[in-house]
Amino acid sequence: MKVKKQLIGLSPYKPGKPISEVKKQFGLNEVVKLASNENPFGCSNEAKKAISEALDNLAIYPDGYAATIRTEVANLLNVSEEQLIFGNGSDEIIQILCRALLNNETNTVCAVPSFPQYKHNAVIEGAEVREVSLIDGVHDLDGMLGQINENTRIVWVCNPNNPSGTYVSSEVFKNFLAKVPKDVLVVSDEAYYEYVVAEDYPDTTPLLAEFENLMILRTFSKAYGLASLRIGYGVGNPEFIQKIEPAREPFNTSVLAQVAASAALTDKQFLSYCKERNREGLEQFYQFCEKNNLHYYPSQGNFILMDIQKPGNDVFNYLLERGFIVRSGEALGFPTSIRVTVGSTEQNKAIIEQLEKFLNS
């Protein structure tokens, strides 16, 4: 069988090691996974209740239009329902955008290191990928602007950026939008939006009225704790949304995902709790880094990138053998770093103790 030439040699996305595999490999009774930026506190009890009540409807196709959660998200963001598109995680919206806009005669611009799925999906569509290096962990928007030409269709801004946790400020982002040609889509990927505390972080939804080429991506996988159910959404110009809808698969978000997301939106107390605990957890890691003179980027997400000053794979393997799954920076573009998801207070303390032992060994 002959597949697209773009797929030859292209590696599939590699998630963090599963807990069961690590337990078996090292004979461990307990393993803590802090690799995939999941919510260590799970999801809202309201979401669990909604899932339980929906179990009798599993034989019925979900609402392909996602009408209920669509109305609720529209009300939350103060946008029209026609401005929304829902996906099997915001990852699928990335795929839809690449499928709808890119081909072998076009290019796309993104930062590096950043979320790899922008490049991955663009390569599959045969598009040229123009990567611009971060400056001190932050998007170089001037450099990205300089890469835009008549064949550019999408510019990706991961904000906060994964894996650095840094962000583009409101003023800088708005100035950037004003300079991007109106026929080039600017995607603000805000997967970690609910964790952000920076006062000058962009409030992007009001910008949709001014910039028709802006699209915002958000997800229920992170702060809402619904990663396994896969539901996210995009917000953009209603005419553009209508144009890309044919690239969306039918019934692409499940009944359970829709009802859980709907219920999760009502539990503001749980969301606030997760955000507060995340800030406390980040402070634990900041103190560890400052004590040991290790470089780190202050994070607006639920993870931290720390330069351990040793090969990232060495640190990864050391922690893995002791029951902690993290991400090696060698796979993320930061070869002497690791990216660690912020866990509970106890989990953070335990992994910091192991990192202290590693540094002293």
Side-chain angles (χ1 to χ4, degrees), residues 278-346:
N278 184 66
R279 283 291 118 194
E280 293 170 1
L282 282 170
E283 286 297 330
Q284 289 179 269
F285 287 107
Y286 295 165
Q287 291 173 18
F288 159 73
C289 289
E290 289 162 8
K291 174 187 173 184
N292 291 281
N293 296 314
L294 301 177
H295 179 269
Y296 68 94
Y297 293 111
S299 177
Q300 294 298 319
N302 67 334
F303 58 90
I304 182 169
L305 185 73
M306 301 179 287
D307 188 350
I308 308 299
Q309 301 170 6
K310 300 289 183 181
N313 287 347
D314 290 354
V315 189
F316 169 82
N317 288 322
Y318 179 91
L319 293 171
L320 194 67
E321 292 172 5
R322 288 153 181 81
F324 293 92
I325 310 173
V326 299
R327 275 298 178 95
S328 167
E330 294 195 40
L332 302 174
F334 294 90
T336 59
S337 297
I338 56 171
R339 191 195 68 190
V340 181
T341 304
V342 177
S344 66
T345 301
E346 296 74 19

Side-chain angles (χ1 to χ4, degrees), residues 22-23 68 83 123 126 206 220 248 255 269 277 284 323 328:
V22 176
K23 283 183 175 180
T68 299
Q83 287 181 264
V123 167
F220 287 93
R248 180 181 64 81
V255 169
Q269 184 176 354
R277 294 294 301 276
Q284 289 179 269
S328 167

Side-chain angles (χ1 to χ4, degrees), residues 79-257:
V79 299
S80 71
E81 295 182 16
E82 292 74 25
Q83 287 181 264
L84 295 168
I85 182 171
F86 284 83
N88 184 26
S90 56
D91 289 22
E92 191 191 17
I93 309 298
I94 295 170
Q95 184 183 60
I96 289 170
L97 291 173
C98 289
R99 188 177 184 183
L101 276 70
L102 300 179
N103 57 39
N104 60 5
E105 297 178 350
T106 64
N107 70 65
T108 185
V109 179
C110 59
V112 61
S114 191
F115 188 50
Q117 291 304 99
Y118 313 138
K119 179 178 181 178
H120 184 89
N121 283 285
V123 167
I124 291 174
E125 299 305 327
E128 176 193 358
V129 180
R130 298 185 165 196
E131 297 178 300
V132 179
S133 297
L134 302 175
I135 297 179
D136 196 23
V138 181
H139 283 57
D140 175 12
L141 292 188
D142 287 337
M144 293 172 71
L145 194 67
Q147 290 296 315
I148 297 173
N149 67 8
E150 67 277 6
N151 296 321
T152 305
R153 297 294 179 268
I154 311 175
V155 178
W156 307 91
V157 181
C158 188
N159 203 23
N161 186 49
N162 177 12
S164 61
T166 56
Y167 73 104
V168 173
S169 70
S170 179
E171 182 179 1
V172 171
F173 185 64
K174 189 170 182 180
N175 288 340
F176 174 71
L177 280 173
K179 297 174 183 176
V180 174
K182 301 305 179 187
D183 61 347
V184 174
L185 182 70
V186 177
V187 179
S188 181
D189 187 348
E190 303 175 3
Y192 300 93
Y193 171 81
E194 290 80 10
Y195 286 114
V196 172
V197 296
E199 293 183 0
D200 60 343
Y201 180 82
D203 183 9
T204 46
T205 48
L207 296 177
L208 292 167
E210 184 177 352
F211 300 99
E212 293 185 356
N213 60 329
L214 172 63
M215 183 140 185
I216 303 162
L217 305 186
R218 292 184 186 169
T219 184
F220 287 93
S221 294
K222 304 304 180 183
Y224 288 103
L226 300 177
S228 68
L229 295 181
R230 313 307 297 124
I231 181 167
Y233 59 91
V235 198
N237 176 273
E239 293 179 3
F240 176 68
I241 296 294
Q242 185 178 22
K243 288 179 181 178
I244 65 172
E245 269 285 352
R248 180 181 64 81
E249 295 295 327
F251 312 120
N252 61 328
T253 58
S254 71
V255 169
L256 300 186

